[in-house]
Amino acid sequence: MSLDQTWFSESYAPSGSAFSLKITDKIHSEKSEFQTIDIYQTETFGKLMVIDDCTMVSTRDNFFYHEMMTHPLLFSHKNPENILIIGGGDCGTLQQTLKHPTTQSVTQIDIDERVTELAKIHFPELCTENNDPRATILFEDGINWVRKAEKNSLDIIIVDSTEPEGPGEVLFTDEFYSYCFNALKDDGILAIQSESPFYHVDLLKTLCNRFENVGFNATRLHHYPQPIYPSGWWSTLLASKNGEFHFRKQDAKQKPFETNYYNANIHESSKALPEYLLKALPQLKQK
Amino acid sequence: MSLDQTWFSESYAPSGSAFSLKITDKIHSEKSEFQTIDIYQTETFGKLMVIDDCTMVSTRDNFFYHEMMTHPLLFSHKNPENILIIGGGDCGTLQQTLKHPTTQSVTQIDIDERVTELAKIHFPELCTENNDPRATILFEDGINWVRKAEKNSLDIIIVDSTEPEGPGEVLFTDEFYSYCFNALKDDGILAIQSESPFYHVDLLKTLCNRFENVGFNATRLHHYPQPIYPSGWWSTLLASKNGEFHFRKQDAKQKPFETNYYNANIHESSKALPEYLLKALPQLKQK
C-alpha cells in the first residue's frame, strides 16, 4: 500500500525507513525565526508536534523519552540540585526534573520561544510545572549561556535537542561540550539525547570520543523504546566529569512520584548493552 | 510527505501507525495455499519477506527477533534437549536453537512449505543449519501434531507464528495451549511471540490468562527492539509448567556461539517491566 495525505510520514533517508501516523487534522503550521513547526491531530497518538519534518513529541508516547532523559540521570547523581536544560522547549523534561525533591533550580533554555508557546496550547499536560518557583525558562542561545556560565556551578546538564542537523547541530560539537564540562561541578553529569542505538552507532562513537576529548572520565548509554522516533528505539548518553555514576537505587525504588515507564529495574536494564554495541563502543563496556 | 509506490508500508490500523521501507524491487509474489507471500529488495534492510501484507523478516534486523525468541528461553531451562517449533518457516529460529550444545532434537512444523522454500532462496543465511542431523522440518498442521504428541515428551515449545489474525489465529487459543501443556515435560517451557508491549497490552493479558487457565504455573515476558514490527518494540512470552525459570547465567556468559544482540546482561534486562506493564499485568510481577 502507499500512504496518502491522511498520514503524516517522517522518512529517515539514511535508513531507508519511515514512520507514519494517521492524522485527522493539521491544527497549526508556522515558520518561526528558527524552524518550521507543525501540529497535527492524530487518530490514536493524540497531538503530534513536528519540527522541520521530524516528529518531536506526541501526547501518547512522549513519556518514554521524557522519563528516560531525566530519571536515570538524576538517580545516577548523589545530590542533583542545580540543573540546566538546553532545548526541551516542550517543557516535558523540565516537568520530570521538578519531580525530584533534590532539585533546587532548573534553568531551561530553548532558542525558540514558539515551541514553548505551542506546547502550552497543545501539550498543556507537559507544562503543568512551568510556574514552579524552582524553574527559570529562558529563550536565547543556550551555547552562549553555557559558555558564560559560572565554572563548577551545575550538577546536571541535559541536552534535549533536535537532530544533529539544523538548529541543533551546534549541540553536537566539542566546543559546546567543553563549555558544559567547565560549567559542571566535579561530580557533574552531562546527558544528551543520542538518537537510535540501531541506526546511529557512528554518531554514538563520535559522541563518546568528543566527551573523552573534552575531559569527561566515563560515558554510559541508557536505551529505551520510543515508537515515533526512527527505528522505534532511542537512547540517552551520559558523561560523568569524575567518572562516577552513583545509582541511588533505594531512592529510585522509593521515588515519591508516579512514572509510566521508568522504575529502578528499568534503570538498571536500560544500560545493558547488546553484543554489537559492546563491540562497536568499547568505551561503554560495563564494569 | 506522502509515501508512494517506491515504499513498502505496513499500516497497523488499531494503532493508527505505519512502518515503511524504501524498496528498489519486488522480487517475488505468490499466493500459496495458505497466504500471500511477497519478497522485496529494500534499499537498506536487505531483503524483506511480507506475508498477507505484514512484514515478517528482513535481512538486516531479524537477529533481534530470532535471538530473543530462543536464547532467553533455552538458557531459562535446566537442560533443553527436545524442542518443537510451531511456525518459524524462515528457519531463523531453528538455526538459533541448534547453536545450543544441549539441543538433541528440534522439530519445526510450518503449515506452508512455500515460506521455507522462499527462505532458502532469499534468506539462505537463515537456512544454514537445515540439514543438521538433529533437525526435522515438517510441513503440516502444527496443532494436530501437538495434539497427538506423546505426553511429557518435550522440553521446549516455541510458537513462532504470524499475527493472531489469519492462519496464525488458532495458535492463540486455550485449546492449542492445553495440547502444548500436555506435550511438555514437568519442567517444560512454552514460548510464544507476543507482539508489541506498547500496542498489544490486552493481548498480553489474554495470553497470561490462557496460560494460567490451561495449567501453566508462571509466565515471564522478555521484550526487545524489532525495528520493522509495529511500534519497533516486540516481546516473547514464556510459560513454565512447574513455575520455574532457571536462568543458567554462567552458561549464557560463556555461550559457545556468537550473537549480535543477546548476551547474559540483555537476558536479565529484557525481563525488567515498565511501570505501566507492572500495573496492567500483575501476573508478571517479578519476584
Side-chain angles (χ1 to χ4, degrees):
Chain A
M1 65 175 291
S2 52
L3 299 177
D4 62 18
Q5 297 294 347
T6 66
W7 294 82
F8 167 79
S9 293
E10 176 185 357
S11 71
Y12 177 63
S15 76
S17 71
F19 176 77
S20 308
L21 287 175
K22 188 88 174 168
I23 54 175
T24 54
D25 199 9
K26 188 169 189 171
I27 301 171
H28 183 84
S29 184
E30 72 175 68
K31 282 187 196 300
S32 75
E33 191 182 342
F34 304 98
Q35 50 208 352
T36 300
I37 311 171
D38 299 310
I39 313 272
Y40 297 93
Q41 182 67 50
T42 72
E43 201 174 83
T44 55
F45 271 68
K47 288 184 180 175
L48 174 70
M49 181 185 284
V50 174
I51 294 184
D52 288 343
D53 296 324
C54 293
T55 57
M56 281 296 124
V57 58
S58 89
T59 310
R60 183 174 172 193
D61 83 339
N62 78 80
F63 67 89
F64 291 103
Y65 178 83
H66 287 132
E67 292 183 12
M68 294 304 286
M69 279 294 286
T70 52
H71 305 313
L73 169 63
L74 268 72
F75 281 125
S76 291
H77 187 284
K78 282 181 186 166
N79 186 29
E81 293 180 338
N82 299 306
I83 298 168
L84 172 67
I85 299 168
I86 303 285
D90 61 35
C91 304
T93 296
L94 174 74
Q95 182 185 50
Q96 297 296 327
T97 59
L98 288 165
K99 289 182 175 178
H100 286 253
T102 47
T103 299
Q104 292 190 354
S105 78
V106 190
T107 304
Q108 172 187 299
I109 309 175
D110 197 298
I111 202 162
D112 194 346
E113 185 166 4
R114 290 302 301 153
V115 173
T116 302
E117 290 307 311
L118 290 167
K120 284 182 191 168
I121 298 167
H122 298 291
F123 299 90
E125 71 279 10
L126 300 182
C127 299
T128 55
E129 308 309 311
N130 288 13
N131 295 320
D132 187 298
R134 296 171 294 167
T136 305
I137 299 179
L138 303 175
F139 301 103
E140 54 182 87
D141 177 357
I143 298 182
N144 203 34
W145 197 95
V146 182
R147 187 170 62 80
K148 293 180 180 170
E150 191 184 341
K151 290 201 177 199
N152 304 309
S153 63
L154 295 164
D155 297 305
I156 297 281
I157 300 176
I158 302 173
V159 185
D160 179 3
S161 71
T162 50
E163 325 310 303
E165 289 93 39
E169 191 175 351
V170 284
L171 301 175
F172 289 82
T173 60
D174 278 15
E175 187 189 355
F176 172 61
Y177 299 140
S178 69
Y179 299 152
C180 292
F181 185 87
N182 291 334
L184 285 167
K185 293 182 192 165
D186 284 347
D187 61 354
I189 303 178
L190 168 67
I192 177 164
Q193 76 84 2
S194 50
E195 311 273 309
S196 163
F198 188 51
Y199 290 155
H200 302 110
V201 177
D202 286 344
L203 174 71
L204 286 168
K205 269 189 217 182
T206 301
L207 289 173
C208 286
N209 291 338
R210 288 193 171 153
F211 289 160
E212 202 180 325
N213 288 347
V214 303
F216 286 100
N217 274 299
T219 48
R220 172 168 289 176
L221 191 76
H222 288 273
H223 55 91
Y224 44 89
Q226 184 56 55
I228 69 165
Y229 286 177
S231 86
W233 186 28
W234 216 244
S235 67
T236 305
L237 189 63
L238 275 54
S240 163
K241 199 163 168 178
N242 68 7
E244 280 178 29
F245 295 103
H246 175 80
F247 179 32
R248 291 182 287 120
K249 189 170 179 176
Q250 211 47 44
D251 290 350
K253 280 187 172 175
Q254 298 169 344
K255 61 185 169 54
F257 52 83
E258 296 276 308
T259 51
N260 206 6
Y261 185 71
Y262 178 87
N263 58 40
N265 281 336
I266 286 289
H267 181 118
E268 292 189 311
S269 71
S270 66
K271 63 188 175 63
L273 294 180
E275 283 294 276
Y276 78 90
L277 281 181
L278 285 172
K279 284 176 191 156
L281 303 166
Q283 303 97 318
L284 291 174
K285 198 152 188 173
Q286 289 173 326
K287 288 160 198 168
Chain B
M1 65 175 292
S2 51
L3 299 177
D4 62 17
Q5 296 294 344
T6 66
W7 294 82
F8 167 79
S9 293
E10 176 185 355
S11 71
Y12 177 63
S15 76
S17 71
F19 176 77
S20 308
L21 287 175
K22 187 89 175 168
I23 54 174
T24 55
D25 200 11
K26 187 169 189 171
I27 301 171
H28 183 85
S29 183
E30 72 175 66
K31 283 190 196 297
S32 76
E33 190 183 340
F34 304 97
Q35 48 208 353
T36 301
I37 312 172
D38 299 309
I39 313 273
Y40 296 93
Q41 183 67 49
T42 72
E43 202 174 81
T44 56
F45 271 67
K47 287 182 179 174
L48 174 71
M49 182 186 284
V50 174
I51 294 183
D52 289 342
D53 296 324
C54 294
T55 57
M56 281 296 125
V57 58
S58 89
T59 310
R60 182 173 172 192
D61 82 340
N62 78 80
F63 67 90
F64 291 104
Y65 178 82
H66 287 132
E67 292 183 11
M68 294 305 285
M69 279 293 286
T70 52
H71 305 313
L73 170 61
L74 269 73
F75 281 124
S76 292
H77 188 285
K78 280 183 186 165
N79 187 30
E81 291 179 339
N82 299 305
I83 298 168
L84 172 67
I85 300 167
I86 303 285
D90 61 35
C91 304
T93 296
L94 175 73
Q95 182 186 50
Q96 296 297 327
T97 59
L98 289 165
K99 288 182 175 179
H100 287 252
T102 47
T103 300
Q104 291 188 357
S105 78
V106 191
T107 303
Q108 173 186 300
I109 308 174
D110 197 298
I111 202 163
D112 194 345
E113 185 165 6
R114 291 302 302 152
V115 173
T116 303
E117 291 307 311
L118 289 167
K120 284 182 192 168
I121 297 167
H122 297 291
F123 299 88
E125 71 279 9
L126 299 182
C127 299
T128 55
E129 309 308 312
N130 287 14
N131 295 319
D132 186 299
R134 296 170 296 167
T136 304
I137 298 179
L138 304 175
F139 302 103
E140 54 183 85
D141 178 358
I143 298 183
N144 204 34
W145 197 96
V146 182
R147 186 171 61 82
K148 294 180 181 171
E150 190 183 342
K151 290 201 177 198
N152 304 308
S153 64
L154 294 164
D155 298 304
I156 296 282
I157 299 176
I158 303 172
V159 185
D160 179 4
S161 70
T162 50
E163 326 310 304
E165 288 93 40
E169 192 175 350
V170 283
L171 302 175
F172 289 82
T173 60
D174 278 14
E175 187 189 357
F176 172 59
Y177 300 141
S178 69
Y179 300 151
C180 291
F181 185 86
N182 291 334
L184 285 167
K185 292 182 193 166
D186 285 346
D187 60 355
I189 303 177
L190 168 68
I192 179 165
Q193 77 84 3
S194 48
E195 311 273 310
S196 162
F198 187 53
Y199 290 154
H200 302 109
V201 177
D202 286 344
L203 175 70
L204 285 168
K205 269 190 216 181
T206 301
L207 289 172
C208 286
N209 291 338
R210 288 194 172 154
F211 289 160
E212 201 180 325
N213 288 347
V214 303
F216 287 99
N217 275 299
T219 46
R220 172 169 289 177
L221 190 75
H222 288 272
H223 55 91
Y224 44 88
Q226 184 56 56
I228 70 166
Y229 286 176
S231 85
W233 186 29
W234 216 244
S235 67
T236 305
L237 188 63
L238 275 54
S240 164
K241 199 164 168 176
N242 67 7
E244 282 178 27
F245 295 104
H246 174 80
F247 178 31
R248 291 181 289 118
K249 189 170 180 177
Q250 210 49 42
D251 290 351
K253 279 188 173 175
Q254 297 169 345
K255 63 185 166 53
F257 52 84
E258 297 275 307
T259 49
N260 206 6
Y261 183 72
Y262 179 86
N263 57 41
N265 281 335
I266 286 289
H267 181 119
E268 292 190 310
S269 71
S270 66
K271 63 187 174 63
L273 294 179
E275 284 293 277
Y276 77 90
L277 281 181
L278 285 173
K279 285 175 191 156
L281 303 166
Q283 303 97 319
L284 291 173
K285 199 152 189 174
Q286 289 172 328
K287 288 160 196 166

